[in-house]
Amino acid sequence: MLDRLLLGCGLVVGPLFTVTYLVEGATRAHYRSLRHPVSSLAIGGRGWTQTTNFFVGGLLCLAFAVGLWRAGPSHWGALLVGVWAIGLLGAGFFRTDPVSGFPPGTPDLPQPNTRQGVLHDLFSLAGFVALAAACFVFAWSGTRGWAIYSVASGVLFAVTMALASAAFAQKESLVDLGGLIQRVSVTIGWAWLAVLAVRTLGG
């Protein structure tokens, strides 16, 4: 029962995290979901909502990682999911710097970055790399179809996250779509984790 509860966290965390940032982004003044990153929702008076979202998402993913360690086919993969969880927690603890003109009146790129902003980016990067790597590690532990899906998810997650990073670095052809690209990337990652949870529960 405990193992199933822990693994069930992998099913609920993605939808919960996604609904929270979608609702918050749709109701935040001057915030443009197509342009601005999810992390920017942690800035300002209502920033506690997204900060809490990071913490809850991180704790649920950490519980999922424990469940994978106990019941899953790969300890290395479970550790990588744990790193993804720590990345979420770090992103919540260290607030991002303003970027792409949000909040209004701030520059498109902070000059220089604050210490908090640098730490936010480092925790986020570690989490992104770990989740992409987990896709490849778990690809070896199942059917051919699962392997193809996992590898494709890892590649697409990494590529779209790299494009989103370029957009937030103000690459002219991407900057107005940075938020959309990031949301596609994160959705790919959450979906893969949910399918992993279903497979492990079924196993």
Side-chain angles (χ1 to χ4, degrees):
M1 181 63 70
L2 176 60
D3 288 347
R4 296 186 68 81
L5 181 62
L6 292 170
L7 292 171
C9 292
L11 277 174
V12 302
V13 59
L16 179 62
F17 188 92
T18 301
V19 168
T20 300
Y21 78 65
L22 286 177
V23 171
E24 183 65 14
T27 56
R28 183 74 68 88
H30 309 296
Y31 181 86
R32 293 166 54 191
S33 295
L34 294 181
R35 177 182 173 91
H36 300 129
V38 171
S39 294
S40 291
L41 290 169
I43 301 174
R46 286 173 50 184
W48 64 269
T49 304
Q50 181 54 36
T51 297
T52 302
N53 199 23
F54 278 129
F55 285 139
V56 172
L59 291 173
L60 287 173
C61 280
L62 200 58
F64 181 45
V66 173
L68 289 171
W69 180 275
R70 290 165 57 95
S74 171
H75 281 178
W76 281 110
L79 287 172
L80 288 167
V81 173
V83 174
W84 162 249
I86 292 170
L88 289 169
L89 293 171
F93 191 79
F94 300 106
R95 190 176 63 187
T96 188
D97 288 326
V99 67
S100 296
F102 182 84
T106 58
D108 288 337
L109 277 177
Q111 296 293 336
N113 293 91
T114 66
R115 182 177 299 177
Q116 275 210 45
V118 170
L119 289 171
H120 174 92
D121 291 345
L122 287 175
F123 273 97
S124 298
L125 177 61
F128 295 146
V129 171
L131 184 55
C135 292
F136 295 108
V137 170
F138 277 109
W140 294 96
S141 59
T143 63
R144 179 182 177 86
W146 166 251
I148 292 172
Y149 170 65
S150 292
V151 170
S153 295
V155 170
L156 289 173
F157 178 80
V159 169
T160 50
M161 194 55 68
L163 290 174
S165 296
F168 301 141
Q170 306 306 298
K171 183 172 178 59
E172 187 174 353
S173 60
L174 297 173
V175 64
D176 285 332
L177 295 176
L180 175 62
I181 298 170
Q182 186 194 53
R183 282 158 175 75
V184 170
S185 186
V186 172
T187 300
I188 291 169
W190 286 131
W192 179 82
L193 284 170
V195 176
L196 175 62
V198 170
R199 290 186 79 255
T200 309
L201 282 165

